Amino acid sequence: MVVWVALNSVILVKHDAAFDPYPYILLNLFLSMLAAIQAPVILMSQNRQAEKDRINAEHDYEVNLKAELEIMLLHEKVDLLREGQWGDLLEIQKEQIKLLTALIQKKTATD
């Protein structure tokens, strides 16, 4: 655009007439045509990008859903292990109480 304006100015100064006078109507026409050609291309590329983004979002959703299911399964496994450990701990505690009672009875019997 600068070259267009400079060329018109040089021709205007040297020959006292420019091929595209000051409002630069011809330049404006060329720029409008360029914009008209670029607009559909830009819209098509945006549509393609939007479709790619939608596919990526669906894939991310599926991955997140699978990860959530895996986490739920892990929680269930941990809960089952914890319940088993509570049962074992209760058995150990009962055994300790029996041993302590036996020790207390033995001590009271010797005193």
Side-chain angles (χ1 to χ4, degrees):
M1 286 183 7
V2 173
V3 172
W4 188 275
V5 172
L7 184 63
N8 271 312
S9 300
V10 168
I11 292 174
L12 181 63
V13 169
K14 287 189 177 182
H15 301 290
D16 211 19
F19 65 91
D20 190 18
Y22 166 66
Y24 305 117
I25 296 171
L26 188 59
L27 176 63
N28 192 11
L29 176 68
F30 288 149
L31 291 176
S32 296
M33 287 184 343
L34 181 66
I37 292 170
Q38 285 179 339
V41 174
I42 291 171
L43 288 175
M44 285 187 298
S45 69
Q46 285 178 342
N47 285 340
R48 277 190 236 146
Q49 186 62 41
E51 187 165 334
K52 287 179 185 177
D53 291 342
R54 188 171 35 256
I55 290 170
N56 284 339
E58 288 174 6
H59 184 260
D60 288 345
Y61 175 75
E62 290 170 0
V63 168
N64 289 341
L65 186 62
K66 184 176 179 182
E68 186 177 348
L69 291 173
E70 290 293 327
I71 290 172
M72 287 174 54
L73 287 173
L74 287 173
H75 278 291
E76 288 177 11
K77 287 181 182 179
V78 168
D79 289 343
L80 287 173
L81 287 173
R82 193 175 295 159
E83 286 177 15
Q85 287 177 346
W86 279 114
D88 293 344
L89 286 175
L90 286 174
E91 290 298 320
I92 291 171
Q93 189 176 20
K94 286 178 185 177
E95 189 65 33
Q96 286 175 342
I97 290 173
K98 285 180 187 176
L99 290 173
L100 285 173
T101 341
L103 282 174
I104 291 172
Q105 287 175 354
K106 188 177 183 182
K107 186 174 181 185
T108 54
T110 57
D111 286 340

